[in-house]
Amino acid sequence: MQLRQTKFGAACGVVLELLVGCKLRFSCPHWLVDRTGLQQEDDALSMTVRHAGKALPCEGGLAMLASECLEESGCELAFPKP
């Protein structure tokens, strides 16, 4: 299953699990934590993780990665120009 944060963003890989009592759990097995220290209130300097040139879902410094992120095509880390 794939999930996008925005209409034009890249899709991350999401796993859907059926739990007891007809409950569902959505999880992303591949993720990246932004530990650059560049994140600011206005996000002007925050890191962006991209796949095929499109931004992956990210919130609070935690980016969910595409299911093929560990392959050669991989993901790109992007930093804005100051």
Side-chain angles (χ1 to χ4, degrees):
M1 185 172 174
Q2 296 185 337
L3 175 74
R4 297 178 196 281
Q5 188 172 22
T6 64
K7 182 177 179 180
F8 300 105
C12 68
V14 177
V15 176
L16 179 63
E17 301 172 71
L18 179 61
L19 303 175
V20 178
C22 297
K23 295 180 181 179
L24 298 175
R25 177 190 304 167
F26 293 87
S27 61
C28 182
H30 305 292
W31 44 275
L32 179 74
V33 177
D34 181 359
R35 297 283 184 212
T36 61
L38 295 176
Q39 194 171 20
Q40 295 185 350
E41 291 178 13
D42 62 358
D43 289 332
L45 293 176
S46 63
M47 176 183 73
T48 304
V49 184
R50 298 180 177 277
H51 179 69
K54 297 179 180 177
L56 285 161
C58 183
E59 184 66 38
L62 181 67
M64 298 189 316
L65 303 178
S67 56
E68 61 273 357
C69 67
L70 302 178
E71 297 175 10
E72 283 186 31
S73 61
C75 296
E76 306 120 22
L77 300 178
F79 295 92
K81 293 182 180 181

